[in-house]
Amino acid sequence: MRVFMFLCYILISGILFSCKHVGNNDLAEQKTNDKIAVALFNGSGASPTCILETFESLKIDTGITTRYISAGEISEGKLADFDVIVFPGGSASKELNNLGETASVEVTKFVNAGKGAVGICAGGYLFSTTKDYPSLKLVSATEWDREHYNKGRALVEFKPTENGLELFPELKGEPCFMQYYDGPVFMPADSGRSGTMDYTELAKFVTDIKIHKGYPTGITPDKTFLLKEKIGKGRAIVVAGHPESTPGMRWMVPRMVRWAANSPIIEYNKKWIRPKLYSHEILFYKELVSKEKSLFWDLLSDNPGKKTEAMKKLWELHSRPAVRWNIGLLRDSSPEVRAYAAELLKNAEYSAALPDLQSAYNLEDTPEAKNRMKEAIQHLSNF
């Protein structure tokens, strides 16, 4: 009898234990554990602005967790804790220098062993196999016009390929534009690394980027703007532009991470997907850069109307640095300027400004400005 009662106790305990592990808390914990772990490189050579904006763009995907990683941590083998590593914009040669030989080998081993890598602008240069250019040689892509690598800044047009639309179906039939700053212009390289080449073009340049005097024309059109490639057991994906700093296109960063992690593609909140925000390319020629600087000085004017007019014109130019200039204007003496700054930060999806918006909201005593700050906070907080 005692044996029978003991067996019943074991059976009931087992049932209760099993029930416990399908409770809501445990499902939430399981979901957390299933998240894609991303390591965002923040070593020397990576632009602090690109690091921050990449980190913020990854928040769009609630199935991704992101932590910064240094070259020293990579050398120590800490990449083993992650599924994907992301190299942001900046300087590829300086990023490579900071990695050093030990960390560079660790990154290559990480990808070949079955993990993922994402290269944004400088990260693309870093991954490339370009002749006489020190790099990780992860992807079989070569820079087409190394002599004129500093092509300048622009809002460029690109066109997804059929393969690209499979990964980014939201872009089908839409105009496609993205911020660009001296990014790589790729073509398939000759056999420059071991293994079978799996270079898959996802998008091509449409814009002819000829900003500097004396530079040749026709270099960028139809060249690779975005590519993916399987490497050993792993994957790498590269983009020439800056989706992380392009409102309406920031969602492309977590989507790239999902492909690199070989994880299912999911839909994102439609408020982040706004390719129609843009209608034409904008090349920042010398004259336009001068205009941008002049408008910046107008932001320091004593005239609120002059400030808001400058803010409006900078938004119409899709000026990349002007997005950040709006943060300081949250602390302007004019409630009209403060309210407009909040609206522009919302429109720019600049979630990095949330602490400043919250501070401005706490101090605001004008109902109209306070309401617009609240709208911006709610919009940027809800992923």
Side-chain angles (χ1 to χ4, degrees), residues 140 193-199 229-232:
S140 53
R193 62 173 180 78
S194 59
T196 303
M197 188 176 81
D198 184 46
Y199 184 111
E229 191 164 352
K230 293 180 181 178
I231 301 162

Side-chain angles (χ1 to χ4, degrees), residues 333-353:
S333 60
S334 164
E336 179 185 0
V337 172
R338 297 195 298 269
Y340 193 33
E343 180 182 329
L344 290 178
L345 287 166
K346 170 190 170 184
N347 292 343
E349 304 174 13
Y350 212 75
S351 54

Side-chain angles (χ1 to χ4, degrees), residues 29 32 41 59 61 68 73-74 85 89 105 108 112 115 119 124 139 166 223 246 260 271 321 325 327 329 334 378:
E29 182 178 351
T32 301
F41 181 70
K59 291 180 180 179
D61 193 322
Y68 295 129
E73 290 170 323
I74 294 172
I85 184 167
V105 169
T108 303
N112 275 283
K115 299 301 182 71
V139 296
E166 289 180 8
K223 303 300 189 303
T246 310
K271 71 179 182 180
W325 297 341
I327 296 174
L329 294 169
S334 164
Q378 290 176 337

Side-chain angles (χ1 to χ4, degrees), residues 46-55 88-89 244-245 320-321 324 350:
S47 159
T49 298
C50 292
I51 294 169
L52 175 64
E53 293 177 351
T54 301
F55 188 93
E244 82 285 358
S245 63
R320 186 178 173 190
R324 299 185 294 277
Y350 212 75

Side-chain angles (χ1 to χ4, degrees), residues 51-238:
I51 294 169
L52 175 64
E53 293 177 351
T54 301
F55 188 93
E56 290 296 316
S57 69
L58 289 169
K59 291 180 180 179
I60 289 172
D61 193 322
T62 56
I64 290 174
T65 59
T66 309
R67 284 167 43 202
Y68 295 129
I69 194 166
S70 68
E73 290 170 323
I74 294 172
S75 296
E76 293 170 359
K78 293 185 179 179
L79 266 181
D81 298 332
F82 298 92
D83 303 303
V84 176
I85 184 167
V86 177
F87 284 90
S91 166
S93 57
K94 290 182 174 63
E95 288 182 2
L96 184 67
N97 170 262
N98 187 245
L99 283 172
E101 293 183 4
T102 303
S104 295
V105 169
E106 288 297 317
V107 172
T108 303
K109 285 167 55 180
F110 173 80
V111 178
N112 275 283
K115 299 301 182 71
V118 175
I120 300 174
C121 191
Y125 279 118
L126 181 67
F127 291 1
S128 71
T129 304
T130 301
K131 184 179 180 181
D132 299 326
Y133 184 79
S135 63
L136 294 177
K137 295 180 173 55
L138 275 177
V139 296
S140 53
T142 185
E143 163 63 23
W144 178 248
D145 185 31
R146 174 69 189 142
E147 182 181 355
H148 303 103
Y149 77 93
N150 56 333
K151 293 177 176 59
R153 178 160 57 101
L155 180 73
V156 300
E157 184 176 2
F158 67 94
K159 184 177 181 179
T161 63
E162 288 301 315
N163 286 316
L165 290 175
E166 289 180 8
L167 184 57
F168 307 104
E170 297 90 339
L171 298 180
K172 187 173 184 178
E174 300 289 354
C176 298
F177 296 87
M178 190 181 292
Q179 293 284 356
Y180 171 90
Y181 201 161
D182 292 343
V185 181
F186 280 145
M187 289 286 286
D190 294 332
S191 182
R193 62 173 180 78
S194 59
T196 303
M197 188 176 81
D198 184 46
Y199 184 111
T200 303
E201 196 172 53
L202 300 177
K204 296 175 179 286
F205 279 95
V206 174
T207 300
D208 189 354
I209 306 173
K210 184 187 180 301
I211 296 174
H212 302 306
K213 188 176 181 180
Y215 273 32
T217 60
I219 294 297
T220 53
D222 292 324
K223 303 300 189 303
T224 302
F225 183 78
L226 203 160
L227 70 96
K228 66 178 183 179
E229 191 164 352
K230 293 180 181 178
I231 301 162
K233 296 180 180 179
R235 299 175 163 205
I237 186 167
V238 169

